[in-house]
Amino acid sequence: MTDEDFMRLALNEARAAFEEGEIPVGAVVVNKGRVIARAHNQTEALHDVTAHAEMLAITSAANLLGGKYLTDCTLYVTVEPCTMCAGALGWAQVARVVYGACDPKRGYTCYAPHALHPKASTTSGILEKECTTLMQEFFRLRR
Amino acid sequence: MTDEDFMRLALNEARAAFEEGEIPVGAVVVNKGRVIARAHNQTEALHDVTAHAEMLAITSAANLLGGKYLTDCTLYVTVEPCTMCAGALGWAQVARVVYGACDPKRGYTCYAPHALHPKASTTSGILEKECTTLMQEFFRLRR
């Protein structure tokens, strides 16, 4: 499985969000080559601003592993994490973060560039076009 | 009820966390003079780094109000919010944030100074000594 393969699973989650009328962001957590959590944005359904895809995926992955640290995990997410999610990724000590589309308006790289764990690595731009197109289509329909 | 009165309720939550072996941070959400949510840090019990007092309080308050925005609310928390929690407070559009102790190591004012809603007001130093002492005592016992 490549980064593109895992990002495609995150995109499937994002599409599920889209279908539910949620801002289409999806995430998966991978541990030793295995997907251990999948989630999509559910802020509308749960009336809860904290229910971003990454937050739900972190909680789910920690539940599965039985501990709160995700030191051997990679999180794939279709859109650059926001400040809140980057802070959570930092607390969870997620080793690697891979995202598709950049988010210059809300992304952590602008607003909290040191939020991830100091040893975390990042990769961006994986399936960027698909991730961006899904977001643009969502907001176009709501305009 | 004054800021000190509400902070004392947050301190009660922090003391409950202390008793449970959790880092002693407590929070309450006040809406129109009424306490609508109380929470304390539960990261150990839930094995979940996202279970900070503020996050749980935001989710609880939104549940009670039936909507995800807390635009008419004040959040009182015993310790300065971290990047994650400040991001969540920003998304929830919490109007006012009041905290006791500063957290120069993890506090949002150092790492994500623009995370709160642009119109949010903040007050710090309310019952600072009690809030700080509780944290120091917790870590002293664990050394």
Side-chain angles (χ1 to χ4, degrees):
Chain A
M1 294 277 278
T2 65
D3 280 349
E4 281 74 14
D5 293 329
F6 288 124
M7 188 61 81
R8 217 167 288 284
L9 299 178
L11 259 171
N12 288 345
E13 285 293 321
R15 288 196 191 96
F18 187 105
E19 294 299 319
E20 295 166 15
E22 303 275 0
I23 294 177
V25 182
V28 300
V29 177
V30 175
N31 178 240
K32 297 171 184 167
R34 194 166 63 100
V35 175
I36 61 166
R38 303 167 189 246
H40 57 266
N41 179 34
Q42 292 195 269
T43 51
E44 296 303 322
L46 301 177
H47 305 299
D48 187 348
V49 297
T50 75
H52 282 194
E54 301 95 313
M55 304 297 281
L56 300 173
I58 289 168
T59 298
S60 174
N63 272 340
L64 187 125
L65 294 177
K68 63 183 176 168
Y69 297 119
L70 306 176
T71 43
D72 291 323
C73 295
T74 298
L75 179 127
Y76 292 83
V77 59
T78 55
V79 180
E80 181 186 342
C82 71
T83 297
M84 171 181 73
C85 292
L89 290 162
W91 283 120
Q93 303 183 14
V94 170
R96 185 170 174 241
V97 176
V98 181
Y99 58 91
C102 289
D103 183 359
K105 281 192 185 163
R106 295 287 199 163
Y108 81 97
T109 54
C110 284
Y111 296 100
H114 304 293
L116 300 185
H117 191 267
K119 290 183 183 169
S121 68
T122 57
T123 304
S124 62
I126 304 295
L127 301 187
E128 182 173 10
K129 195 179 163 204
E130 291 90 325
C131 296
T132 303
T133 301
L134 194 64
M135 289 286 276
Q136 288 173 339
E137 178 67 5
F138 181 84
F139 288 111
R140 191 185 63 76
L141 288 169
R142 265 146 195 84
R143 239 177 250 133
Chain B
M1 295 277 278
T2 65
D3 279 349
E4 281 74 14
D5 293 329
F6 289 123
M7 188 60 81
R8 217 167 288 285
L9 299 178
L11 258 171
N12 287 346
E13 286 293 322
R15 288 195 191 96
F18 187 104
E19 294 299 320
E20 294 166 16
E22 303 275 1
I23 294 177
V25 182
V28 300
V29 177
V30 175
N31 177 241
K32 297 170 185 167
R34 194 166 62 101
V35 175
I36 60 166
R38 303 166 189 247
H40 56 267
N41 179 34
Q42 292 194 270
T43 52
E44 297 303 323
L46 301 177
H47 305 299
D48 186 348
V49 297
T50 75
H52 282 194
E54 301 94 313
M55 304 297 280
L56 300 173
I58 288 168
T59 298
S60 174
N63 271 339
L64 187 125
L65 293 177
K68 63 182 175 169
Y69 296 119
L70 306 176
T71 41
D72 292 323
C73 295
T74 298
L75 179 127
Y76 293 82
V77 59
T78 55
V79 179
E80 181 186 343
C82 71
T83 297
M84 171 181 73
C85 292
L89 290 163
W91 283 120
Q93 303 183 15
V94 170
R96 185 170 174 240
V97 176
V98 181
Y99 58 91
C102 289
D103 183 358
K105 281 191 186 163
R106 296 287 198 163
Y108 81 97
T109 53
C110 283
Y111 296 99
H114 304 294
L116 300 185
H117 192 267
K119 290 183 182 169
S121 67
T122 56
T123 305
S124 62
I126 304 295
L127 301 187
E128 183 174 9
K129 195 179 164 204
E130 292 91 326
C131 296
T132 302
T133 301
L134 193 64
M135 290 286 275
Q136 288 173 340
E137 178 67 3
F138 181 84
F139 288 111
R140 191 185 64 76
L141 289 170
R142 264 146 196 83
R143 240 178 250 133

